[in-house]
């Protein structure tokens, strides 16, 4: 089209009409006079838009999938982290429950024997070469611990304190060959001296060579002068074997200790001895014997066999 005066007037007129239609459409809203025209345009161009959208959507979905995949990966990683933390917490809770049970058992024993104890944790073990059995505990002189104090746990006699530092102490275990403790037999009051043998039962020399002792009898500590290094009444172990006396002045027996020396964790140092000997009150209750079932066998004679006293 040539640039003439008529063409310029036509352009101005079209622009004026366009502004007028925009103004009417904005003010009319849903009742706009051009709503029908817009719907007609949508009917014409809608299928084309849908086709373009269908072509573009897979790409958009793929991008969203990649974005969501990262999100899912992060979520899975977080869940795995949470599960690991939960398992660790459950494991820690199991350990804490075990230690609480040990502490509760030890406190009950201390209460039964009226021992004043200082609770401690085993933090190190000594070298076992040459039958040296020791552990290090996390209490020392700052906690009132002194040399030659009795050490026990919820099962029985653990050992005695040999070396004391400000915050730690060394305990010689009752199964060490250099360890000796006076013992008293339950009920009969027969006295002896128990010595450690490493991972074997304690060896006990009974003062009375004619003492009547049997497997299953139990021993406690006899106690020392001024209660050091041993307080009385602490469970030591159960007789597992008795050697024949052979007419000797003493008699040797072997005792399985109550304490598992390879699994020590929570222990107690006796910082205050009982006012009186607890005797056998600290010993655990004896296990009830399992009843032996009685079987009655009834024999029925066979029909083919003759009955006694009758002639076939």
């Amino acid at each position: 089209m040539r640039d003439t005066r008529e063409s310029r007037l036509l352009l101005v007129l079209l622009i004026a009409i366009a502004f007028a239609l925009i103004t009417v459409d904005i003010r009319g809203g849903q009742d706009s006079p051009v709503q029908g025209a817009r719907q007609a345009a949508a009917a014409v161009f809608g299928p084309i838009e849908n086709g373009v959208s269908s072509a573009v959507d897979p790409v958009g979905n793929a991008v969203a999938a990649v974005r969501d995949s990262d999100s899912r990966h992060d979520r899975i990683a977080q869940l795995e982290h949470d599960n690991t933390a939960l398992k660790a917490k459950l494991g820690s809770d199991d350990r804490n429950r075990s230690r609480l049970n040990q502490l509760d058992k030890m406190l009950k024993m201390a209460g039964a024997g009226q021992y004043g104890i200082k609770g401690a944790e085993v933090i190190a073990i000594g070298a076992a070469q040459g039958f040296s059995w020791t552990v290090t505990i996390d209490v020392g002189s700052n906690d009132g611990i002194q040399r030659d104090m009795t050490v026990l746990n919820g099962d029985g006699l653990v050992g005695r304190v040999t070396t004391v530092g400000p915050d730690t102490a060394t305990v010689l275990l009752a199964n060490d060959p250099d360890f000796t403790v006076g013992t008293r037999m339950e009920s009969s009051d027969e006295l002896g001296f128990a010595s450690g043998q490493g991972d074997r039962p304690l060896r006990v020399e009974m003062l009375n060579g004619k003492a009547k002792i049997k497997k299953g009898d139990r021993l406690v500590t006899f106690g020392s002068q001024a209660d050091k290094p041993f307080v009385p009444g602490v469970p030591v172990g159960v007789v597992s074997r008795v050697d024949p006396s052979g007419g000797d002045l003493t008699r040797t027996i072997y005792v399985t200790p109550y304490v598992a020396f390879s699994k020590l964790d929570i222990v107690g140092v006796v910082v205050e001895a009982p006012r009186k000997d607890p005797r056998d009150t600290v010993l655990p209750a004896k296990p009830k014997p399992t009843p032996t079932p009685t079987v009655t066998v009834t024999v029925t004679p066979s029909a083919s066999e003759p009955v006694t006293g009758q002639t076939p």
Side-chain angles (χ1 to χ4, degrees):
M1 180 182 296
R2 290 182 300 173
D3 186 12
T4 60
R5 183 177 179 182
E6 289 80 4
S7 61
R8 286 198 295 272
L9 289 174
L10 180 59
L11 178 60
V12 171
L13 180 60
L14 291 174
I15 292 172
I17 293 172
F19 274 109
L21 290 173
I22 292 172
T23 302
V24 171
D25 186 34
I26 292 174
R27 291 182 178 179
Q30 294 293 329
D31 298 328
S32 171
V34 297
Q35 180 66 19
R38 184 185 294 111
Q39 291 176 350
V44 174
F45 295 106
I48 300 175
E49 291 176 350
N50 287 337
V52 174
S53 177
S54 299
V56 175
D57 276 348
V59 179
N61 290 338
V63 173
V66 171
R67 183 173 59 249
D68 293 342
S69 175
D70 291 339
S71 176
R72 284 196 299 271
H73 177 75
D74 293 341
R75 179 59 177 162
I76 291 172
Q78 182 63 40
L79 289 173
E80 290 177 348
H81 178 271
D82 293 344
N83 287 339
T84 302
L86 180 59
K87 290 178 181 178
K89 183 176 184 299
L90 289 174
S92 176
D93 287 346
D94 289 341
R95 173 171 166 76
N96 287 338
R97 280 193 291 270
S98 173
R99 302 183 79 190
L100 286 173
N101 289 336
Q102 293 179 52
L103 180 60
D104 182 63
K105 191 175 180 180
M106 184 176 68
L107 291 176
K108 288 180 179 178
M109 174 176 288
Q114 295 298 298
Y115 307 123
I117 64 171
K118 178 71 177 181
E121 179 182 356
V122 174
I123 56 176
I125 59 173
Q129 291 91 354
F131 280 114
S132 177
W133 295 78
T134 61
V135 295
T136 302
I137 55 178
D138 63 349
V139 292
S141 58
N142 291 336
D143 305 287
I145 306 303
Q146 299 176 9
R147 179 183 170 87
D148 286 336
M149 284 183 167
T150 307
V151 181
L152 50 77
N153 67 3
D155 296 317
L157 180 67
V158 171
R160 62 181 176 86
V161 177
T162 56
T163 306
V164 182
D167 301 304
T168 61
T170 301
V171 178
L172 182 69
L173 301 181
N175 63 337
D176 189 279
D178 291 333
F179 186 97
T180 302
V181 58
T183 62
R184 181 180 58 77
M185 192 70 63
E186 178 188 15
S187 302
S188 69
D189 292 338
E190 293 287 353
L191 302 182
F193 291 94
S195 300
Q197 295 195 111
D199 55 1
R200 294 180 293 168
L202 305 177
R203 178 187 175 98
V204 182
E205 294 293 336
M206 304 301 299
L207 298 183
N208 182 3
K210 298 181 179 180
K212 294 182 179 180
I213 303 169
K214 63 183 184 300
K215 183 178 180 180
D217 287 345
R218 307 186 295 177
L219 293 84
V220 297
T221 56
F222 178 65
S224 307
Q225 186 175 6
D227 298 311
K228 285 189 177 183
F230 303 108
V231 294
V234 180
V236 174
V238 181
V239 175
S240 56
R241 181 162 66 90
V242 180
D243 280 356
S245 61
D248 295 333
L249 295 178
T250 62
R251 190 172 191 181
T252 302
I253 64 174
Y254 297 89
V255 174
T256 301
Y258 283 114
V259 172
F261 297 104
S262 62
K263 298 190 293 184
L264 293 173
D265 188 5
I266 303 298
V267 299
V269 181
V270 181
V271 295
E272 184 178 351
R275 294 183 179 180
K276 62 179 182 178
D277 189 343
R279 307 294 294 178
D280 303 330
T281 59
V282 187
L283 283 168
K286 288 185 176 181
K288 295 181 179 180
T290 304
T292 303
T294 303
V295 179
T296 303
V297 179
T298 303
V299 179
T300 304
S302 174
S304 61
E305 294 180 356
V307 179
T308 304
Q310 295 184 1
T311 302

